[in-house]
Amino acid sequence: MSSTVQILLSLSIALLAGLLLSRLAKRVQLPAVTAYLVAGVLIGPFLLGRLGVPGIGIAKEQLEGFGIIADLALGFIAFSMGNEFRLAQLKKIGRQATIIGIFQAVFTTVVVDAALIGLHFLIPDQLPLPAAIVLGAVATATAPAATLMVVRQYKAKGPLTDILLPVVALDDAVGLVVFAVSFGVAKALGSGDVEILAIVLEPLLEVVLSLLLGFVMGVLFTFCEQFFHSRSKRMAMSVTFVMMTVALSGISFEVGGIHIGFSSLLSCMMLGTVFCNLCDVSEELMDRADRWTAPVLILFFVISGAELELSVFAQGAVVLTGVVYILARSVGKYFGAGISSRMTKCTPEIVKYLGITLLPQAGVALGMAIKAMELGEQGAIVRNITLFAVLVYELIGPFLTKIALTKAGDIKAEGKTSARGQDRH
């Protein structure tokens, strides 16, 4: 069987498994994104994929070739998040979202660092101090993909949703800076030889240059869009510019010992922000792009589930540290969001439920964990604990997000009209 046939067969099996399991998830009131992740675990390398039979599961070596799907899906997710930064909306919640986004991220880092540094003194061999410090920074990241999928599936709308999406989007920028500083401190503790200039400049340059790239691409997108009038060609233009922005974000180089890189999430988010504020028909085009990307997002979550490494459960130290990390991060997110939303005079529903909606964690955190591998054995500890936490958070996080949005009144029990013309309740 040729490699092309195997890839197409694996992708079709992934889509089918995700879709079938989502029907089962609906019967037990679980979000579709949870079903996609579970489907990935079932057909992944640790279960059906281990059999090595084409058409039944996805083998580990096949996952490496699916990275482009993850990059593309995250690009479209970030592009959609840019829709939450319309100037008219920012005038209402911009100040609140900014304060909450920064405060809860820093607060979570402090709580997780305190808990893991305390655990370090109990098990210093299994949890070195540099690893504990880096994990505190990893805790800032929230998964925009899972949150956005829950919001879309249940058509959530209300005060909590309005402030949730900008806060989740801001997590990336704050998390990048916090992680870079913590990572620099960890390297200094490990080797005693690190350039402070690089620690300060690299994360700031990544944030600024990513936003600049997104701004330029957004202006070009808006300029090019006006030459096309048919809906199909405008949608194709949307896809073109998201793909191009993701591609350009992958460029990296060094200048004077300083690593220059871009964040595709920040770039695509700025692309969507600029386009939504400059183009008169942006809402229609964003809606059409969301529909086009539905199969890509399903594949992204199924593949993400397949990539979750169940072997981390076999390591006692990883499980113990992972449990402490999960509990501390949950406390940090919940109380950090609650305190800051109360400070900014948000509604009681936001104060009570916003922290719960910030629990899902995936792509950005895994990216940080991969970067942490530069620490050697200590980086491997960070990676394993992050994998453990992502597995737990991605399976229960979307469900908790749904509950929080429902309790806050943003998700309402309404009948849906299916494509078959029947009312679904």
Side-chain angles (χ1 to χ4, degrees):
M1 189 181 295
S2 69
S3 59
T4 302
V5 173
Q6 287 184 345
I7 291 172
L8 290 175
L9 187 59
S10 296
L11 291 178
S12 61
I13 291 298
L15 265 175
L16 182 61
L19 289 169
L20 291 178
L21 211 59
S22 70
R23 299 306 302 168
L24 178 62
K26 187 174 183 179
R27 291 184 178 274
V28 294
Q29 303 298 308
L30 283 175
V33 62
T34 301
Y36 302 149
L37 289 163
V38 173
V41 172
L42 293 177
I43 67 173
F46 290 92
L47 290 174
L48 293 179
R50 178 174 287 186
L51 300 177
V53 180
I56 294 182
I58 299 177
K60 192 168 186 178
E61 55 271 16
Q62 288 179 297
L63 289 174
E64 298 176 2
F66 295 156
I68 188 173
I69 295 175
D71 292 339
L72 188 60
L74 287 172
F76 277 103
I77 288 165
F79 178 65
S80 296
M81 298 295 281
N83 195 33
E84 305 306 318
F85 290 95
R86 293 180 181 272
L87 291 179
Q89 188 174 358
L90 285 179
K91 289 177 181 178
K92 298 178 182 178
I93 62 169
R95 174 180 166 274
Q96 291 177 323
T98 301
I99 293 174
I100 293 171
I102 295 173
F103 184 90
Q104 58 85 20
V106 175
F107 186 84
T108 300
T109 296
V110 172
V111 172
V112 174
D113 272 341
L116 293 184
I117 289 173
L119 183 62
H120 157 73
F121 289 110
L122 296 176
I123 52 171
D125 294 333
Q126 287 83 8
L127 181 62
L129 185 58
I133 292 173
V134 172
L135 282 167
V138 173
T140 61
T142 302
T147 303
L148 188 63
M149 284 290 281
V150 173
V151 169
R152 284 183 183 172
Q153 180 185 352
Y154 296 101
K155 295 180 171 57
K157 188 176 183 181
L160 179 56
T161 304
D162 288 343
I163 202 166
L164 166 62
L165 296 178
V167 168
V168 170
L170 282 169
D171 257 1
D172 279 329
V174 178
L176 281 171
V177 175
V178 173
F179 175 79
V181 173
S182 298
F183 183 67
V185 171
K187 287 180 69 176
L189 288 173
S191 64
D193 181 26
V194 66
E195 292 188 20
I196 300 299
L197 185 63
I199 296 173
V200 176
L201 274 184
E202 286 187 7
L204 292 178
L205 282 173
E206 182 169 342
V207 171
V208 172
L209 292 177
S210 297
L211 295 177
L212 180 61
L213 173 62
F215 178 82
V216 172
M217 296 300 291
V219 172
L220 286 174
F221 180 17
T222 306
F223 175 75
C224 293
E225 177 274 333
Q226 64 184 325
F227 296 108
F228 299 91
H229 303 289
S230 71
R231 292 174 177 175
S232 58
K233 289 182 178 178
R234 280 178 163 177
M235 187 188 73
M237 185 64 69
S238 302
V239 174
T240 299
F241 271 87
V242 173
M243 292 177 64
M244 192 181 300
T245 303
V246 171
L248 294 175
S249 298
I251 297 173
S252 62
F253 50 91
E254 286 195 7
V255 177
I258 303 296
H259 178 76
I260 306 295
F262 300 88
S263 165
S264 63
L265 286 172
L266 290 178
S267 296
C268 290
M269 185 179 71
M270 180 57 82
L271 169 70
T273 300
V274 173
F275 177 65
C276 287
N277 284 285
L278 294 182
C279 180
D280 295 334
V281 294
S282 60
E283 286 197 49
E284 179 191 349
L285 290 179
M286 293 288 275
D287 182 60
R288 288 185 169 275
D290 289 344
R291 295 179 186 180
W292 183 87
T293 56
V296 178
L297 295 181
I298 294 174
L299 278 175
F300 167 68
F301 283 107
V302 175
I303 292 170
S304 295
E307 289 176 335
L308 295 175
E309 298 197 17
L310 304 183
S311 59
V312 296
F313 283 114
Q315 304 173 42
V318 170
V319 173
L320 173 61
T321 308
V323 169
V324 173
Y325 170 88
I326 290 170
L327 292 176
R329 180 178 179 271
S330 301
V331 168
K333 287 290 181 184
Y334 182 79
F335 287 101
I339 293 170
S340 54
S341 57
R342 191 177 290 110
M343 286 166 44
T344 54
K345 296 181 172 57
C346 292
T347 63
E349 290 78 16
I350 293 175
V351 173
K352 188 173 182 180
Y353 297 112
L354 178 59
I356 298 174
T357 64
L358 297 176
L359 293 182
Q361 187 175 46
V364 179
L366 291 174
M368 292 177 177
I370 292 171
K371 174 70 174 176
M373 290 294 287
E374 295 178 15
L375 296 174
E377 292 183 5
Q378 296 171 348
I381 294 172
V382 173
R383 178 179 177 275
N384 287 340
I385 293 168
T386 303
L387 284 170
F388 175 87
V390 165
L391 177 62
V392 175
Y393 274 128
E394 282 296 89
L395 292 178
I396 67 171
F399 178 62
L400 294 177
T401 298
K402 178 205 168 187
I403 292 176
L405 290 170
T406 303
K407 294 285 188 182
D410 285 29
I411 293 178
K412 297 175 177 60
E414 296 178 349
K416 293 184 179 179
T417 302
S418 76
R420 299 178 187 275
Q422 300 174 330
D423 287 335
R424 300 288 186 184
H425 297 280

